Amino acid sequence: MSSDYDFRPGGSLKLKGGVTDGGIVKKKKKTKSKDKEKAVSPDEDRVKALERAIKEDEAKSASPAGSGRNSPAIAGSSDRKTAAERRFEEVQKKRLAAKVAKLANKTHKDRVSEFNSKLEALSEHHDIPKVGPG
């Protein structure tokens, strides 16, 4: 009966759309012909690969960041967010900054003493019961 439940696919869910939409981008399959493989030596192949990489880097630097379909946007897809989403993110950033500032002011000794006072304020119902003889 447990054999029915043995199959568990791994990984996270894949969403449709490009990188900017939070989805996946499929890689193109490389096709090699046998004639070209035999004709080109490994050194020439490396040189051509380096030249292609240099051209791609130049093309990426020429275009603005996030302008291509497959290139990830630095700020995310902020242009597609609603006004409420933008306000929500701003409030979250402010809360996080306030929380960090609050934690930065306390020393470890202050945190320990505050935690101990909270524990003292709890009733005995929350105490760990003794188990066993003694």
Side-chain angles (χ1 to χ4, degrees), residues 26-95:
K26 294 184 179 178
K27 295 181 182 178
K28 296 180 181 178
K29 294 182 179 178
K30 297 180 181 179
T31 57
K32 294 182 180 178
S33 63
K34 294 179 181 178
D35 296 336
K36 287 184 180 178
E37 257 185 66
K38 293 177 183 176
V40 178
S41 69
D43 293 332
E44 292 175 7
D45 190 32
R46 288 182 185 163
V47 171
K48 288 182 182 179
L50 289 172
E51 288 175 357
R52 271 188 257 124
I54 291 171
K55 288 179 184 177
E56 288 175 2
D57 288 341
E58 290 174 359
K60 285 181 183 178
S61 64
S63 65
S67 65
R69 184 176 188 276
N70 294 335
S71 64
I74 294 174
S77 57
S78 60
D79 57 334
R80 295 185 182 180
K81 292 181 182 173
T82 63
E85 287 174 332
R86 287 189 212 107
R87 283 195 311 267
F88 174 75
E89 286 185 353
E90 289 175 11
V91 169
Q92 278 206 326
K93 287 178 185 177
K94 288 179 184 176
R95 285 181 183 164

Side-chain angles (χ1 to χ4, degrees), residues 10-29:
S12 60
L13 294 175
K14 305 294 190 268
L15 303 173
K16 291 183 179 179
V19 172
T20 58
D21 297 332
I24 60 169
V25 177
K26 294 184 179 178
K27 295 181 182 178
K28 296 180 181 178
K29 294 182 179 178

